[in-house]
Amino acid sequence: MEHCLSVPKKNAEAWEPCSVRDGTERFLQHRAGKSLVLTEGTSFCAMLPAARQAGAVGVLFDGDALSLFALPDVSCVLASGSAQTLRAARFFAAVRRIPCAVFPAHAACDGAFGTRARLRVAGEMRDVPLAAAQVYCDVSLMRESVAEGYARLLLSRLALFEQKAAGLLCRRPFGAEAEEGAFALTDGVRGELPPEEIVRRNVQLRLLEEAGAPVGEGALLCGGGALRAYRTLLSLYTAFFRRGVPRRYFVPDYRARAAAAGVSYASLCIPSEEEYALRALRLERVRGELARELVHLNAALAGQLRAVRSVGGRDARPELTVLKNLPELAPHGLCAIIRDFGLMETL
């Protein structure tokens, strides 16, 4: 029997043995009228039972949420697929004020939680509201992404290190309750985990991120694989806190960097001379503490790579070139601080 994690907003622990079919039947049990079943290529077959229900309108998501509003009126929406497909369904549900159920096809469960998101509407990326959804995580639907889900746990742990390091260097707050919960879920990930446990921890992390736990700048690199993003940032952070020395008389060309990254120059967080000097002093004070934490993270890497292979994944080597524009894309991240010290120019 397939495992399905049913996650109401107030109960992220409720695991139930069920299939997509059973989850669909439970959601539709007391609902009348037509239902919209939104899928994409990777999840179309899994959602066929829902699409064959009486009164169901099956749609393949084309990447633009505007097309959903040309459909006939429906009383609820079910969706399965990637993060953007789930977000499109939840945006549609928010506008129409109808119930929504989502079946994530990725073990990281992106798109299943949160109240707002960036979504393509009428050809433009817009910030839109999202309805709360009933979340059913069928592990059999996610079998191709379990290794990526494991790597996302590692990235979430690294995001906590990033938050701490940036907090110590820039006097920013860190260590909130949501961060402590995320630490408890990720710091012990040093070996193999069952697929169900990988999904469960990702669900809890997405909920904690909604409550204020850091997502981290590594999330911007997941398009190239979460494991590669983790190993790349871990290598950079390790090198910086072991040997990084601020280039005292070097000032990055912030305007050129902003143009190369395609962001507004005004959006960058450029420290004053006084703040730069204070950060340099703080770096020497906290370098030892942060370097020791990185030793702890690096010591777990061999076992984590074995765990990735055990769930069908492959190793991914660090690729520092992908960090070239990251400081501008994540202006409050640790890479932006490293850039300000003049240490990102050779990547």
Side-chain angles (χ1 to χ4, degrees):
M1 183 175 291
E2 297 169 341
H3 285 85
C4 172
L5 170 61
S6 173
V7 191
K9 290 294 285 183
K10 295 182 180 179
N11 186 8
E13 296 283 353
W15 283 87
E16 301 177 16
C18 69
S19 63
V20 172
R21 181 190 295 273
D22 292 336
T24 298
E25 291 177 354
R26 292 175 190 181
F27 179 71
L28 296 176
Q29 186 175 11
H30 301 295
R31 294 184 171 88
K34 293 182 178 180
S35 59
L36 169 62
V37 181
L38 186 65
T39 64
E40 57 187 50
T42 57
S43 59
F44 175 76
C45 292
M47 294 300 290
L48 276 177
R52 289 171 176 167
Q53 295 274 340
V57 179
V59 176
L60 285 174
F61 184 51
D62 64 2
D64 195 311
L66 182 65
S67 60
L68 301 180
F69 294 92
L71 298 171
D73 287 341
V74 295
S75 61
C76 62
V77 56
L78 302 89
S80 180
S82 64
Q84 288 300 81
T85 299
L86 305 188
R87 289 168 182 147
R90 295 176 59 213
F91 169 54
F92 178 77
V95 174
R96 291 288 177 89
R97 297 185 179 181
I98 58 177
C100 180
V102 296
F103 299 79
H106 195 288
C109 297
D110 291 316
F113 305 100
T115 57
R116 303 193 70 86
R118 296 279 294 172
L119 191 66
R120 186 173 300 281
V121 183
E124 297 181 6
M125 295 301 293
R126 302 182 183 181
D127 182 71
V128 299
L130 304 177
Q134 179 77 22
V135 183
Y136 296 97
C137 298
D138 188 336
V139 177
S140 68
L141 187 62
M142 307 173 183
R143 58 184 178 275
E144 299 297 328
S145 63
V146 172
E148 188 75 0
Y150 185 96
R152 283 293 297 276
L153 300 179
L154 308 183
L155 265 185
S156 292
R157 174 62 181 91
L158 197 60
L160 294 170
F161 173 84
E162 178 195 350
Q163 184 92 333
K164 176 181 178 180
L168 291 173
L169 292 173
C170 303
R171 294 295 177 90
R172 299 175 190 166
F174 65 95
E177 183 178 352
E179 295 172 39
E180 293 177 2
F183 182 86
L185 287 168
T186 58
D187 191 59
V189 179
R190 304 173 73 85
E192 296 181 18
L193 291 174
E196 293 83 1
E197 181 65 11
I198 293 171
V199 175
R200 185 187 71 82
R201 294 195 189 202
N202 271 290
V203 167
Q204 292 184 317
L205 285 166
R206 301 296 85 78
L207 289 168
L208 286 169
E209 288 165 3
E210 187 181 352
V215 177
E217 59 191 357
L220 295 172
L221 303 177
C222 283
L227 184 60
R228 186 180 301 279
Y230 176 73
R231 296 202 64 186
T232 298
L233 286 174
L234 182 61
S235 296
L236 176 71
Y237 297 167
T238 300
F240 173 63
F241 285 107
R242 281 181 179 172
R243 300 183 294 274
V245 178
R247 299 171 66 183
R248 184 174 181 182
Y249 301 107
F250 179 84
V251 178
D253 189 339
Y254 289 103
R255 194 174 298 276
R257 290 187 63 93
V263 302
S264 167
Y265 173 68
S267 69
L268 303 187
C269 301
I270 304 174
S272 64
E273 291 184 14
E274 180 182 8
E275 176 60 21
Y276 176 95
L278 288 172
R279 289 183 186 179
L281 288 174
R282 293 175 196 142
L283 173 61
E284 294 312 312
R285 292 172 185 165
V286 303
R287 184 191 296 274
E289 175 186 351
L290 295 175
R292 285 191 294 272
E293 186 167 341
L294 286 166
V295 169
H296 169 74
L297 294 179
N298 278 284
L301 186 57
Q304 290 162 347
L305 293 178
R306 286 194 296 270
V308 168
R309 290 192 292 270
S310 74
V311 289
R314 296 181 179 180
D315 191 4
R317 299 292 181 182
E319 188 176 335
L320 296 179
T321 56
V322 302
L323 302 176
K324 184 175 182 180
N325 296 323
L326 188 57
E328 289 68 45
L329 298 175
H332 299 287
L334 184 53
C335 280
I337 299 171
I338 298 173
R339 172 205 61 195
D340 296 334
F341 285 139
L343 301 175
M344 297 287 287
E345 302 304 312
T346 58
L347 297 179

